[in-house]
Amino acid sequence: MIIQDVVNLLENYAPLAYAEDFDNVGLLVGDKNEKLTGVLVTLDTLESIVDEAIDNNCNLIVSFHPIIFKGLKSLTGKSYVERTVLKAIKNNIAIYAIHTALDNHINGVNDIISDTLELKNKQILIPQRHTIKKLIAFVPHKNAATLRTALFAVGAGNIGNYNECSFNIEGVGTFNGNENSYPVIGERGITQFENETQISVTFAKHLESKILSALFKNHPYEEVAYEITTIENTNQHIGIGMIGDLEEEFSELDFLDYLKTKMKTNTIRHSSLLGKPIKKVAVLGGSGAFAISAAKAQGADIYVTADLKYHDFFSAENKLVLADIGHYESEQFTKNGLVAHLTKKISNFAIVLSNKNTNPVKYF
């Protein structure tokens, strides 16, 4: 295997197309064609993590957070970021960051938190918009079945729990080729009337190149007539945060104690308690102040996240409890999920779970 093979596995799992625009994800350091020796999975990439990769003969670090987030104008070792990148380069170690691509995955960061808290009836808290596209293509009747099958094979027509979904309309198409054309059906300069099928399918936006490749490869015409549009339908499988139900109600204090134990956190900062039972729980790993309104709108009794500022706590407005468990604490189990996924896919290479606690926040 080469490093690109692991990159492909990661991007098939959590496509980079769904990462947030502000993020820096993908292969950040290293040669994608380098032969793979092993993979180290971590939450953060630091100098100590590069040392751990060296000790374990791993030349690829898969990190949740990107070590390069803002632009680097020099590499002189003046900051921890530059020192980490330099050490990785000197030791021929590649670094891949998955970050918000995994945040927005239905089985990603927030699903791991939800499973840790044993939530049921889980749903995406904030579905990502503009992730579904629609293809309309026109093809001769006799070629319609072949084209549909090819489109289905690369992921078109998957809607929720159903696949091979399409809509088909029979009609008559017309075309007239000029002197530079080479029509497959009919003759140049003569208007051709052809019985055609209009095929409509939806698809996830990250599949567009594959969809177009299948269309052109399996369509007989020299010029393929098609339309692609982005639709407004809500995609319940892509988005950030998650909301679900506890099996049984907790009192507020009992739930905070449960949360502290399950998420292995030393302290919880929270808004005023309301004297109401906790049943519906919203979660969002990492900095989640932006989703407070979504948690309220969906009727959460408590919203579990991190990095809330002083004024963010006022936003609870006595409608729910806000619980800040810490950034590292909210995402700490993510690396375990990545190791589990990669181990299923790769059996002949070491997939090493970093044993380093990279949390920069200490408690007194």
Side-chain angles (χ1 to χ4, degrees):
M1 292 184 72
I2 61 174
I3 286 172
Q4 183 63 45
D5 293 324
V6 181
V7 169
N8 291 340
L9 289 173
L10 290 168
E11 294 182 3
N12 285 334
Y13 173 54
L16 301 188
Y18 304 115
E20 299 296 329
D21 292 340
F22 63 80
D23 206 4
N24 189 32
V25 291
L27 189 64
L28 306 183
V29 176
D31 181 357
K32 65 182 181 181
N33 296 311
E34 193 75 22
K35 188 175 180 181
L36 184 71
T37 61
V39 182
L40 178 71
V41 181
T42 180
L43 193 66
D44 304 283
T45 303
L46 305 171
E47 287 181 88
S48 61
I49 297 298
V50 177
D51 289 333
E52 188 178 15
I54 295 168
D55 291 342
N56 286 277
N57 193 32
C58 295
N59 67 340
L60 173 61
I61 295 172
V62 175
S63 179
F64 178 65
H65 291 128
I67 180 61
I68 303 172
F69 195 74
K70 298 178 181 178
L72 289 177
K73 295 185 177 180
S74 64
L75 273 176
T76 61
K78 64 180 178 292
S79 69
Y80 81 93
V81 173
E82 292 184 17
R83 290 191 296 273
T84 300
V85 172
L86 280 171
K87 178 170 279 193
I89 292 171
K90 286 178 181 178
N91 290 278
N92 202 29
I93 293 173
I95 302 173
Y96 183 94
I98 199 166
H99 205 205
T100 58
L102 194 60
D103 276 324
N104 282 306
H105 193 284
I106 193 168
N107 298 125
V109 177
N110 299 295
D111 188 52
I112 292 170
I113 299 173
S114 298
D115 285 347
T116 302
L117 297 178
E118 301 180 36
L119 301 184
K120 312 295 181 185
N121 308 316
K122 299 175 294 183
Q123 293 183 329
I124 297 291
L125 182 63
I126 305 177
Q128 194 177 93
R129 299 184 64 193
H130 305 145
T131 61
I132 306 174
K133 294 199 171 190
K134 181 179 181 180
L135 168 72
I136 297 176
F138 305 85
V139 62
H141 289 338
K142 64 181 180 180
N143 302 102
T146 299
L147 179 57
R148 266 195 308 270
T149 300
L151 293 172
F152 293 155
V154 293
N158 293 336
I159 303 176
N161 296 322
Y162 296 85
N163 55 27
E164 299 191 3
C165 302
S166 70
F167 189 75
N168 303 269
I169 301 173
E170 307 299 328
V172 177
T174 65
F175 50 87
N176 187 320
N178 63 25
E179 65 275 11
N180 296 315
S181 66
Y182 296 91
V184 175
I185 299 172
E187 300 178 19
R188 68 180 70 171
I190 299 176
T191 300
Q192 175 73 20
F193 290 77
E194 183 66 25
N195 292 324
E196 294 180 335
T197 301
Q198 176 185 307
I199 300 174
S200 300
V201 290
T202 58
F203 61 92
K205 72 174 184 178
H206 72 280
L207 296 175
E208 183 167 342
S209 63
K210 292 182 178 180
I211 298 296
L212 288 176
S213 178
L215 173 64
F216 298 143
K217 184 177 179 181
N218 292 276
H219 200 293
Y221 287 171
E222 180 186 16
E223 295 286 350
V224 179
Y226 71 97
E227 303 168 14
I228 288 182
T229 55
T230 300
I231 61 179
E232 294 289 341
N233 297 43
T234 298
N235 187 341
Q236 291 296 340
H237 294 274
I238 298 291
I240 203 160
M242 194 158 278
I243 188 166
D245 300 315
L246 293 162
E247 190 73 44
E248 297 181 359
E249 290 182 350
F250 281 74
S251 70
E252 291 166 320
L253 289 176
D254 284 345
F255 180 77
L256 289 174
D257 188 58
Y258 173 79
L259 178 62
K260 193 172 183 179
T261 300
K262 285 287 189 178
M263 297 304 296
K264 297 182 180 179
T265 182
N266 291 318
T267 187
I268 298 175
R269 300 163 62 235
H270 63 83
S271 62
S272 297
L273 302 182
L274 306 176
K276 299 177 182 178
I278 301 295
K279 177 72 172 179
K280 187 175 289 292
V281 180
V283 303
L284 197 153
S287 303
F290 66 91
I292 293 173
S293 58
K296 286 193 291 189
Q298 294 199 37
D301 300 311
I302 192 165
Y303 174 43
V304 179
T305 187
D307 297 345
L308 297 181
K309 296 180 180 179
Y310 177 84
H311 289 95
D312 293 329
F313 287 96
F314 288 118
S315 299
E317 297 181 307
N318 294 322
K319 293 182 179 179
L320 82 172
V321 176
L322 302 177
D324 184 333
I325 64 173
H327 196 120
Y328 175 87
E329 288 80 4
S330 71
E331 297 172 337
Q332 62 186 296
F333 303 122
T334 303
K335 62 182 182 179
N336 302 73
L338 281 169
V339 167
H341 176 75
L342 287 174
T343 300
K344 289 178 184 177
K345 299 293 184 180
I346 306 172
S347 59
N348 56 336
F349 280 89
I351 308 297
V352 180
L353 175 66
S354 172
N355 60 19
K356 303 287 185 182
N357 182 329
T358 57
N359 190 359
V361 181
K362 309 301 177 186
Y363 301 95
F364 179 72

